[in-house]
Every structure is written in C-alpha cells, then in structure tokens.
C-alpha cells in the first residue's frame, strides 16, 4: 500500500487555532463554571440540576458555534 503524498501534505498543513479562539473558549468555560456555581450555591437548586443546566448551556453554545462556523465556511 503506497502513501499518497498529496494527502499526507494536506494533513501536515492543518489550520492553527488562533489566540482569540483559545481565549474565547477559555472565557466560555469560566462562564459555564460560574453558571454552575451560581445555580448550585446561590440558587440552591441541587448539584445534579446545576451540572445538567451548565452542561445543557455548554452544548447549546457548542451548537451555536458549529452553525456559525458552517455558515462562515460556506461563504468562502
């Protein structure tokens, strides 16, 4: 089985993640953790409910990011 060098070169030239993207994901993670703590400690809605609410919010955020990324790539 031979290695196709064009395919190998495409994998070597992967797009790097920008610093702004890393910062945005870090901010989102901190906000989600704060949302969890707010629900658990301030609203006293229970640990499992707070985890579920934070996880649901995180998944919704990832879905929005995915849709925006798809729209942006389709315009290129």
């Amino acid at each position: 089985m031979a290695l196709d060098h064009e395919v190998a070169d495409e994998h070597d030239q992967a797009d790097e993640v920008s610093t702004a993207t890393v910062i945005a994901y870090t901010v989102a993670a901190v906000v989600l953790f704060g949302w969890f703590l707010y629900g658990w400690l301030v609203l006293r809605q229970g640990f499992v409910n707070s985890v579920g609410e934070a996880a649901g919010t995180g998944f919704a955020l990832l879905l929005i990011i995915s849709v925006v990324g798809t729209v942006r790539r389709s315009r290129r």
Side-chain angles (χ1 to χ4, degrees):
M1 181 190 247
L3 175 66
D4 188 2
H5 291 288
E6 292 176 4
V7 174
D9 290 340
E10 289 177 11
H11 290 295
D12 291 339
Q13 298 173 353
D15 295 332
E16 292 186 18
V17 179
S18 68
T19 304
T21 302
V22 173
I23 291 172
Y25 280 128
T26 303
V27 167
V30 169
V31 168
L32 285 174
F33 185 68
W35 186 251
F36 159 74
L37 289 177
Y38 177 74
W40 185 36
L41 299 175
V42 176
L43 297 178
R44 299 193 182 273
Q45 63 184 6
F47 180 79
V48 174
N49 288 338
S50 296
V51 168
E53 188 172 331
T57 304
F59 286 130
L61 183 61
L62 287 175
L63 179 65
I64 291 168
I65 291 169
S66 175
V67 169
V68 169
T70 301
V71 169
R72 288 183 63 192
R73 286 199 180 188
S74 69
R75 291 185 180 179
R76 287 185 191 175

